[in-house]
Amino acid sequence: RHCAVILKEYTADSDILAKISENSFVLMKLSADQEELVRWLKPVFHRIHDYTRQYRTSFELNISAGIYMLQADDRNLEEMIFNASQGAHLAEKLHKNYIFCSSKVMQELEKEKQIQSDIDRAFSNHEFHLYVQFYVDSANREIVGGEALSRWQHPQRGILLPKDFVPIMEREKTIARLDYYALKEACEFLQCLYEQQISNFFMSCNFSRETFAAADFVNQCKEIIKRYTFPKDLLIFEITESVTSKKFTQIRQNIASLKELG
C-alpha cells in the first residue's frame, strides 16, 4: 500500500498505473529518454525506501524495477510487461534498484527463460552430474575429502556451471529439488567408496538457506541417507551464502537434529 501511494503521487495525467499481481505494479509512462526517467526514478525510490524511518519499523521494503522502452513495432502488452518484470528480477538478483531492458539484457533474459524451461527435462534425463572438488592434506598431499558440486550437462549448451542455473532455481523456488538430488548423488559416491573399503574420505554438500530452513528438511535428508551404510560422520552439510533467510530458529533446530543423526 505504501508503494501504491508513492507511485500514485508520482504518476502524471498522461501515465497509466496498475497493480497486476500480489507484489507487482506496472507504470506506463511517457518519457523522452533514459536520463529523464532516471531523474524521475531517484525520488520515487528514495520515498519508498524511506518506509522504515517514516513508520519507525524494522521492516525493510525492498523493490526492484525493470524498465522496458517501447519499440515502434511493439503490439503485445503481455510481452512488454513480461520483459519489464524479467528486468525487475534481474535487478533484484544484481542488487540494483532498476535495470533498463537493453537488447543485451533481453538476450540474457531470453537465455534464462530457455534454461528455466529445460530444468524439468534435465532432472528426468539425469543431466545434472556430481563433480568433486578435492580437499588435500597439505602435510602429506593426500586427498582426504571433497566438496560435491553440481554441473548440468546440457544437450545444446554443453556443461553449465551453477551460476548459470542456481540463481534461476532459487528465484523460482525449485532449488530444493536440486539440493536433494545432489545429496543423493553424494551419498551414492560415499557408499561406492565405502564398499571399496575406503572409509576415511569425507564429502561436503551445499544447501541453499531456503532448503536448510525448511521445516521438513531433516526428514527429507533422513529419507535419503537411511538407504546407505557408510559412516554418517563422513557427510558434511554447508549452507550457501547466496540466499538470505530469517528462519534462524528453524535452521538451528535443523542443525541440532542433523547432529543427532551423526
Side-chain angles (χ1 to χ4, degrees), residues 65-84:
I67 303 161
Y68 178 72
M69 308 293 280
L70 270 64
Q71 309 300 309
D73 58 348
D74 279 333
R75 295 293 181 272
N76 189 325
L77 179 63
E78 286 186 9
E79 198 172 285
M80 299 175 217
I81 293 174
F82 176 79
N83 291 340

Side-chain angles (χ1 to χ4, degrees), residues 220-238:
Q220 294 273 16
C221 292
K222 196 185 296 185
E223 281 298 307
I224 295 170
I225 296 168
K226 72 179 184 181
R227 306 169 197 164
Y228 306 96
T229 57
F230 65 83
K232 300 305 179 285
D233 60 351
L234 295 176
L235 197 56
I236 298 171
F237 282 15
E238 288 187 37

Side-chain angles (χ1 to χ4, degrees), residues 96-113:
K96 293 185 176 183
N97 284 338
Y98 57 86
I99 275 184
F100 282 92
C101 299
S102 64
S103 57
K104 184 179 177 182
V105 168
M106 296 310 299
Q107 286 171 4
E108 283 297 309
L109 293 174
E110 186 59 37
K111 189 169 82 173
E112 275 200 12
K113 184 181 172 184

Side-chain angles (χ1 to χ4, degrees), residues 142-161:
E142 288 185 0
I143 295 171
V144 293
E147 180 177 2
L149 304 174
S150 292
R151 297 291 184 267
W152 182 355
Q153 184 67 55
H154 195 285
Q156 284 82 42
R157 299 176 184 271
I159 293 180
L160 299 181
L161 300 177

Side-chain angles (χ1 to χ4, degrees), residues 29-51:
K29 185 171 188 61
L30 286 173
S31 180
D33 54 37
Q34 290 191 9
E35 288 184 8
E36 181 186 329
L37 267 177
V38 170
R39 287 195 296 272
W40 175 85
L41 276 167
K42 283 184 177 178
V44 173
F45 273 94
H46 176 75
R47 290 281 307 282
I48 290 174
H49 286 145
D50 199 40
Y51 179 88

